[in-house]
Amino acid sequence: MSVSLLTLQNVCLSFDERRVLDRINLSLFPGQITTLIGPNGSGKSTLIKVILGLTKADSGEIERRAKLRIGYVPQKVNVDESLPLTVKGFLKLSRHGSQQDLPQAIELLGIESLMTRQVSKLSGGEMQRVLLARAILARPQLLVLDEPVQGVDINGQIELYQLITQIAQSLNAAVFMVSHDLHLVMASTDHVICLNHHICCEGQPESVAQHPEFAKLFAGEEQQQLAVYTHHHHCDDHDHEHLNQHQVVTEEDNTEHS
């Protein structure tokens, strides 16, 4: 087994005395794709900020490989439609990585035909390809993707997941990806973590998909029902919400910290 690039041990974080992340343990390895799933308000975005070093945990240990190179693709980038910025110009604005790697990134993401297009005119799938190309210019060892297929049609999602797999393999990079639908990423995910303020279940996608807690969480409920879903542990006596012991925040209590 390769040495982890980043490890979290018993990481906890609270906002306004409400527990958002509770005893999080995870490790990210080169070439491995880890997918984070969970309902809205479960702490996914907060966990990403902790991994990126943008938010400091209250307790626990975080170990990063020395000089770890991290690439990040956010959910969405808003570009002023009045700004005359082409894809080529946008990619050249990157402060990270060498422009000598630009042709390789363009070829890998298949965006040659987009180089003269205005960024503001790109479709959701096209924009995500451009953002991925920009993120890999620095040849990251860890690539963090926050819902990379949001707003992309089904065919586009499948293509993007295939590209993400290619990136992980070609760069031997760890990929940490947030997704709402495990079924579409099944073929391109090595490890799945189900989060609802704490890690409810995790493992290979096939085993997590058969887990009763995952089945309840992704049984076709509407988003409102997902938001109040409660896991039941088999490993200890804690109820999923832990309200009496830890005052874990719910979506209704603290959606801005999700």
Side-chain angles (χ1 to χ4, degrees):
M1 189 68 173
S2 58
V3 178
S4 68
L5 297 171
L6 181 144
T7 297
L8 273 62
Q9 295 182 329
N10 292 318
V11 166
C12 297
L13 178 62
S14 299
F15 292 117
D16 300 326
E17 298 184 353
R18 298 179 183 275
R19 188 65 60 89
V20 179
L21 297 177
D22 185 22
R23 295 168 292 176
I24 303 300
N25 295 283
L26 64 84
S27 294
L28 304 177
F29 298 92
Q32 183 183 74
I33 299 176
T34 300
T35 299
L36 181 69
I37 61 174
N40 286 343
S42 61
K44 298 189 299 295
S45 294
T46 299
L47 181 55
I48 282 181
K49 291 177 182 178
V50 170
I51 288 174
L52 293 175
L54 300 176
T55 297
K56 183 177 175 59
D58 296 330
S59 61
E61 297 183 3
I62 302 175
E63 297 181 3
R64 294 182 177 86
R65 178 176 293 186
K67 299 181 180 179
L68 179 64
R69 299 189 304 275
I70 301 178
Y72 172 57
V73 176
Q75 286 187 26
K76 185 184 299 184
V77 172
N78 295 318
V79 178
D80 190 340
E81 293 188 4
S82 65
L83 185 66
L85 180 63
T86 65
V87 169
K88 184 176 181 179
F90 177 73
L91 292 176
K92 285 189 173 183
L93 288 175
S94 176
R95 295 174 296 175
H96 306 288
S98 170
Q99 290 299 311
Q100 293 178 348
D101 293 327
L102 185 56
Q104 181 182 0
I106 292 171
E107 181 179 1
L108 181 60
L109 274 302
I111 58 174
E112 296 91 342
S113 63
L114 303 179
M115 298 306 290
T116 59
R117 294 267 305 276
Q118 294 292 311
V119 173
S120 61
K121 303 298 182 183
L122 298 178
S123 68
E126 291 169 341
M127 188 64 193
Q128 289 306 104
R129 285 173 180 261
V130 170
L131 291 175
L132 280 168
R134 188 174 186 271
I136 68 173
L137 283 177
R139 301 189 67 81
Q141 298 163 303
L142 169 60
L143 184 60
V144 179
L145 311 175
D146 191 356
E147 298 191 34
V149 299
Q150 188 176 56
V152 180
D153 62 34
I154 296 298
N155 290 333
Q157 291 182 35
I158 294 172
E159 292 177 358
L160 280 171
Y161 284 132
Q162 291 173 342
L163 285 170
I164 290 166
T165 299
Q166 293 176 23
I167 291 171
Q169 294 172 348
S170 63
L171 298 180
N172 193 32
V175 174
F176 187 72
M177 174 170 58
V178 174
S179 175
H180 269 111
D181 192 345
L182 176 62
H183 302 291
L184 284 178
V185 300
M186 184 74 74
S188 59
T189 299
D190 300 305
H191 191 80
V192 177
I193 296 174
C194 182
L195 181 74
N196 206 343
H197 304 297
H198 69 286
I199 294 175
C200 310
C201 56
E202 63 176 310
Q204 295 181 336
E206 294 82 0
S207 62
V208 171
Q210 300 299 321
H211 199 287
E213 295 179 353
F214 170 82
K216 292 178 182 178
L217 183 58
F218 290 90
E221 298 96 330
E222 296 297 327
Q223 206 67 25
Q224 292 85 351
Q225 293 172 301
L226 290 177
V228 298
Y229 171 72
T230 299
H231 287 289
H232 296 285
H233 289 267
H234 299 284
C235 58
D236 55 35
D237 295 326
H238 300 301
D239 180 78
H240 180 270
E241 294 181 348
H242 299 288
L243 292 180
N244 293 332
Q245 183 177 358
H246 297 298
Q247 282 193 295
V248 173
V249 63
T250 65
E251 181 185 15
E252 290 80 4
D253 291 330
N254 207 18
T255 53
E256 68 270 23
H257 295 306
S258 63

